[in-house]
Amino acid sequence: MSRLTNIGIDVMSEEKSSSELIAGGIQALSVFPNFNLYVVGNQEIIETYLKRVSYPKSRLTIIPSTEIIGMKEDPTTAARKKTNASIVIGLDKLKEGVIDSFFSSGHTGAILSAALLKVGRIPGVKRPAIASPMPTSMNQKVSLFLDAGANVDCLPEYLKQFAIMGYVYTHHVLRIKNPKIGLLNLGEEEIKGNKLTKEAYTLIKNLPYPFVGNVEPHAFFKNDADVVICDGFVGNIFLKCAEALAEQISGIMKIQLTQNLITKLGALLLRKPFKRVSQEMTASKYGGAPLLGLRKPVFIGHGRSDARSVLNAIGIAIRDVEMQTHALIETEINNINAISTPSSKT
Amino acid sequence: MSRLTNIGIDVMSEEKSSSELIAGGIQALSVFPNFNLYVVGNQEIIETYLKRVSYPKSRLTIIPSTEIIGMKEDPTTAARKKTNASIVIGLDKLKEGVIDSFFSSGHTGAILSAALLKVGRIPGVKRPAIASPMPTSMNQKVSLFLDAGANVDCLPEYLKQFAIMGYVYTHHVLRIKNPKIGLLNLGEEEIKGNKLTKEAYTLIKNLPYPFVGNVEPHAFFKNDADVVICDGFVGNIFLKCAEALAEQISGIMKIQLTQNLITKLGALLLRKPFKRVSQEMTASKYGGAPLLGLRKPVFIGHGRSDARSVLNAIGIAIRDVEMQTHALIETEINNINAISTPSSKT
């Protein structure tokens, strides 16, 4: 009989309490029967929390860490020098095979640096990408958006590989059959865009996947594509713009809704719909953002990841290990490289 | 006595009726006493509308045009070949000095192409930029955002010039004294960003203006900078993301608010605040987006510009002519070029 999947989670965060993050792990233990949980973090904090809750003890292991990588630290230096940080220790355990997958909502740059250092790239993959599942439409649909920030300067070839990796992940893990690929751009027509998107367009068009062409932001939010490709600079700005604007609107709303008794009553009557809107705009139910292109699975959570995010991230991580996504990506990348680089003898 | 300022407006649009756009012009005639209005468009449509309204006849001139440039047309070809299009005729009149400023809410690319062809760049300016005034905070503040889409591939030097032109326009036309300049980026620290933003950072830092450094999207919406610089690809994606998401949220809201009697009552009580939020999120009160870097002033309106947008655009256009912004930009660009390119004799 095959052993259970071992999922590691980092519970040290600057924005959320460890208790909140562990709580998500404990919930996952009861929701998903087929995995063991490895909790990476301050041993005392974790043990104190665990004393207060009931959980299947045989399925939970603590991996102690004594340092945290702060959000303002230089990622490369921290990844190399802070050998006792939860991120670094978690990735060590992933490398050693103690765990099969690692989730952290810590410093994104540090996770990326440490993952490249410890786990490394899949042979044939030029650059790993952060693939962010984003809510896109009123029908609770999601698009996988990559690169969300790992590579600020990209070559067209990288974008082509993002499309391959995004396709495999979306098809096998997010269970969207034959997902449609789109290229984030400022116009629909093939000739639109900058030098990078124009060259990437041709490369992605030639892949053996359904390609819907250029996707403008309004088409993105209408879920015209299941996988949306862009360079990491544009992707990160796009994500942060969406997040900041949603906060901005909700801030203005709050001020307006508490202006007088009538608006307060209105707001009270609309409590449920408001909650529903905010739920539809959050991606937490789709789990963490995988770092696609690494030899072993690493997931990044939002800094504000809560118990529910951790629960969902674990569900996705289990599915990802079961499907052996990184092996599928390796095969697909090499198959396509073989097709697009014909032997020099011919 | 100096003659009145002559402002030309294009009233041919694919998204709004000519009546709506002329109405904005007529309103402006009563709000602003110090200008003459030149209405460019289909003569019959304009005359039919004018028969139904009263206005100071001596201050309004019709400039007939017989063609429209469609939103899907190739901008360069249309700008060259459609010599009877409202955009092209308007820019001809600007070139000839019949009008002092031209506003159009037509095909942005075609306006840009035709403007470069007819009016040309200010000597010393490498690339003109679309400078979009964007609402940014709960206090009804605005940031000038450029380039909003004229230049999809930029060199650091272009971004430096955008900062110079944005500073002059914001200081003199938007009347924000000594506006703070920021660089749109994915992190605050100087080392953050891609190759372009890192190099542009140094160039902009050395300009004689208040520089707040890198501005992330959330800081942008908090109005941390009055002038925000980016390349036209990122800028256009950012603008379209903000617009699309605002629509998305309002779409989800509408569905939620009409679900049952309670939510309908709540929505009724909140009609005023909702309207207020949507007003705060729209930029129409700041007028059109100037094409900075041209020899004569051209303003671009949103495709959905209505009477109010036209009214406000005319107000801004008058101020812009009075301040002789394009001459100020020419002086400032050349002064700074002189400083940063020291004579080879020294």
Side-chain angles (χ1 to χ4, degrees):
Chain A
M1 216 183 89
S2 65
R3 71 167 174 82
L4 289 186
T5 301
N6 295 330
I7 304 288
I9 61 167
D10 172 9
V11 297
M12 307 313 287
S13 157
E14 282 191 343
E15 292 185 54
K16 288 281 176 182
S17 71
S18 297
S19 309
E20 175 79 26
L21 301 175
I22 309 169
I26 302 291
Q27 284 171 33
L29 283 171
S30 63
V31 174
F32 309 110
N34 53 347
F35 85 106
N36 295 316
L37 181 66
Y38 287 72
V39 181
V40 189
N42 179 300
Q43 186 158 15
E44 204 184 319
I45 293 175
I46 299 169
E47 282 176 348
T48 306
Y49 178 82
L50 290 178
K51 271 181 203 151
R52 291 163 22 211
V53 294
S54 74
Y55 62 94
K57 298 210 164 34
S58 63
R59 289 173 59 202
L60 189 150
T61 307
I62 298 172
I63 301 179
S65 70
T66 52
E67 287 180 297
I68 299 181
I69 297 176
M71 288 298 183
K72 297 277 174 201
E73 288 189 57
D74 175 64
T76 322
T77 315
R80 286 183 187 274
K81 300 210 167 155
K82 282 202 157 173
T83 50
N84 292 312
S86 52
I87 289 172
V88 178
I89 289 184
L91 289 165
D92 273 331
K93 297 299 168 192
L94 182 65
K95 181 186 177 187
E96 294 163 12
V98 175
I99 54 177
D100 303 306
S101 182
F102 179 59
F103 168 84
S104 172
S105 54
H107 186 320
T108 301
I111 300 169
L112 184 61
S113 290
L116 280 167
L117 204 67
K118 305 281 179 186
V119 179
R121 278 180 283 131
I122 290 171
V125 169
K126 310 239 182 226
R127 293 285 187 282
I130 300 171
S132 179
M134 272 186 82
T136 53
S137 76
M138 294 176 230
N139 307 314
Q140 310 213 15
K141 286 192 178 159
V142 72
S143 287
L144 193 73
F145 185 80
L146 72 165
D147 175 19
N151 309 282
V152 290
D153 290 294
C154 284
L155 296 174
E157 175 71 17
Y158 304 171
L159 268 60
K160 172 187 153 190
Q161 291 201 338
F162 298 165
I164 299 169
M165 300 191 294
Y167 180 88
V168 171
Y169 182 83
T170 305
H171 182 87
H172 293 287
V173 181
L174 299 183
R175 303 180 205 227
I176 299 172
K177 296 297 158 213
N178 289 315
K180 288 173 288 182
I181 314 282
L183 182 64
L184 185 71
N185 212 330
L186 42 72
E188 276 176 25
E189 303 86 352
E190 183 165 352
I191 53 149
K192 285 289 172 76
N194 57 12
K195 200 166 169 290
L196 174 66
T197 62
K198 282 178 198 167
E199 290 180 23
Y201 190 103
T202 312
L203 296 178
I204 297 174
K205 194 173 68 173
N206 290 331
L207 291 173
Y209 311 133
F211 180 49
V212 299
N214 288 325
V215 169
E216 287 189 86
H218 77 271
F220 172 83
F221 287 111
K222 286 190 165 42
N223 194 245
D224 278 9
D226 305 300
V227 180
V228 175
I229 306 300
C230 59
D231 78 64
F233 186 84
V234 170
N236 197 269
I237 293 279
F238 186 91
L239 273 185
K240 285 182 173 160
C241 172
E243 201 174 273
L245 185 69
E247 269 175 37
Q248 171 81 351
I249 294 176
S250 113
I252 299 178
M253 287 288 277
K254 266 179 203 152
I255 291 175
Q256 292 294 330
L257 297 189
T258 50
Q259 288 220 320
N260 58 46
L261 270 177
I262 292 179
T263 58
K264 277 183 190 165
L265 176 61
L268 194 68
L269 295 174
L270 292 179
R271 213 164 36 167
K272 268 193 194 167
F274 282 156
K275 201 171 166 192
R276 187 122 174 70
V277 171
S278 109
Q279 277 170 356
E280 290 211 20
M281 298 310 298
T282 152
S284 70
K285 70 171 169 172
Y286 303 102
L291 257 175
L292 297 180
L294 295 176
R295 280 173 190 270
K296 293 185 170 195
V298 176
F299 286 82
I300 296 176
H302 195 288
R304 273 171 288 169
S305 290
D306 56 10
R308 182 166 171 266
S309 321
V310 175
L311 166 67
N312 291 322
I314 290 173
I316 284 286
I318 296 169
R319 166 96 186 154
D320 176 74
V321 172
E322 284 171 356
M323 296 309 300
Q324 292 289 298
T325 313
H326 55 288
L328 295 174
I329 287 177
E330 180 164 358
T331 307
E332 189 76 357
I333 287 274
N334 290 322
N335 284 347
I336 285 173
N337 278 349
I339 297 166
S340 46
T341 327
S343 153
S344 54
K345 288 177 204 161
T346 57
Chain B
M1 215 185 90
S2 65
R3 70 167 176 83
L4 289 187
T5 301
N6 295 331
I7 304 288
I9 61 167
D10 172 9
V11 297
M12 306 313 287
S13 157
E14 282 191 343
E15 293 186 53
K16 289 280 177 184
S17 71
S18 296
S19 309
E20 174 81 25
L21 302 175
I22 308 168
I26 302 291
Q27 283 171 35
L29 283 171
S30 64
V31 174
F32 309 109
N34 52 347
F35 85 106
N36 295 317
L37 180 66
Y38 287 73
V39 182
V40 189
N42 180 299
Q43 186 157 14
E44 204 183 319
I45 293 175
I46 299 170
E47 282 176 349
T48 306
Y49 178 82
L50 290 179
K51 272 180 203 152
R52 292 165 21 212
V53 294
S54 73
Y55 62 95
K57 298 213 165 31
S58 63
R59 288 174 58 202
L60 190 150
T61 308
I62 298 173
I63 301 178
S65 70
T66 53
E67 288 180 295
I68 299 181
I69 297 176
M71 288 300 184
K72 297 276 174 201
E73 289 190 57
D74 176 63
T76 322
T77 314
R80 285 183 187 276
K81 301 210 168 155
K82 283 202 158 173
T83 49
N84 292 312
S86 51
I87 288 171
V88 177
I89 289 186
L91 289 164
D92 273 331
K93 297 299 168 194
L94 181 65
K95 183 186 175 187
E96 294 163 12
V98 175
I99 54 177
D100 303 307
S101 182
F102 180 59
F103 168 84
S104 172
S105 54
H107 186 318
T108 301
I111 300 169
L112 185 59
S113 289
L116 280 167
L117 204 65
K118 305 282 180 187
V119 179
R121 278 180 283 131
I122 290 170
V125 168
K126 310 241 182 223
R127 294 284 186 283
I130 300 171
S132 179
M134 274 186 81
T136 53
S137 76
M138 293 175 230
N139 307 314
Q140 311 215 18
K141 286 192 177 157
V142 72
S143 288
L144 193 73
F145 186 79
L146 71 164
D147 176 20
N151 309 282
V152 292
D153 290 293
C154 284
L155 296 175
E157 175 71 15
Y158 303 171
L159 268 61
K160 172 188 153 188
Q161 291 200 339
F162 299 165
I164 298 170
M165 301 191 294
Y167 180 88
V168 172
Y169 182 83
T170 305
H171 182 87
H172 292 286
V173 182
L174 299 183
R175 304 179 204 227
I176 300 172
K177 296 296 159 216
N178 289 315
K180 288 173 288 180
I181 315 280
L183 182 64
L184 185 70
N185 212 329
L186 42 71
E188 276 176 27
E189 302 85 353
E190 183 165 351
I191 53 149
K192 285 290 171 74
N194 57 12
K195 199 165 168 293
L196 175 67
T197 61
K198 283 178 198 168
E199 290 180 23
Y201 189 102
T202 312
L203 296 179
I204 297 173
K205 194 172 69 173
N206 290 332
L207 291 173
Y209 310 134
F211 179 50
V212 299
N214 289 323
V215 169
E216 289 189 84
H218 78 270
F220 172 82
F221 287 110
K222 285 191 166 41
N223 194 245
D224 278 11
D226 305 300
V227 180
V228 176
I229 307 299
C230 59
D231 77 65
F233 185 85
V234 169
N236 198 268
I237 293 278
F238 186 91
L239 273 184
K240 286 184 171 159
C241 171
E243 201 174 273
L245 185 69
E247 269 174 36
Q248 170 82 351
I249 294 176
S250 112
I252 299 177
M253 287 289 277
K254 266 179 202 151
I255 291 176
Q256 292 295 330
L257 297 188
T258 51
Q259 287 220 320
N260 56 47
L261 271 177
I262 292 179
T263 58
K264 277 181 190 166
L265 176 60
L268 193 68
L269 295 174
L270 291 179
R271 214 163 34 166
K272 266 193 197 168
F274 283 156
K275 201 172 166 191
R276 187 121 173 71
V277 171
S278 108
Q279 277 171 354
E280 290 212 20
M281 299 311 297
T282 152
S284 70
K285 70 171 168 172
Y286 303 102
L291 258 176
L292 298 180
L294 295 177
R295 279 172 191 270
K296 292 187 171 195
V298 177
F299 285 82
I300 296 177
H302 194 288
R304 273 171 288 169
S305 290
D306 56 10
R308 183 167 170 265
S309 321
V310 175
L311 166 67
N312 292 322
I314 291 174
I316 285 287
I318 296 168
R319 166 98 186 151
D320 176 75
V321 172
E322 284 171 355
M323 297 308 300
Q324 291 288 298
T325 314
H326 55 287
L328 296 174
I329 287 178
E330 180 164 357
T331 307
E332 188 76 357
I333 287 274
N334 290 322
N335 283 347
I336 286 173
N337 279 349
I339 297 166
S340 45
T341 326
S343 154
S344 54
K345 288 177 201 159
T346 58

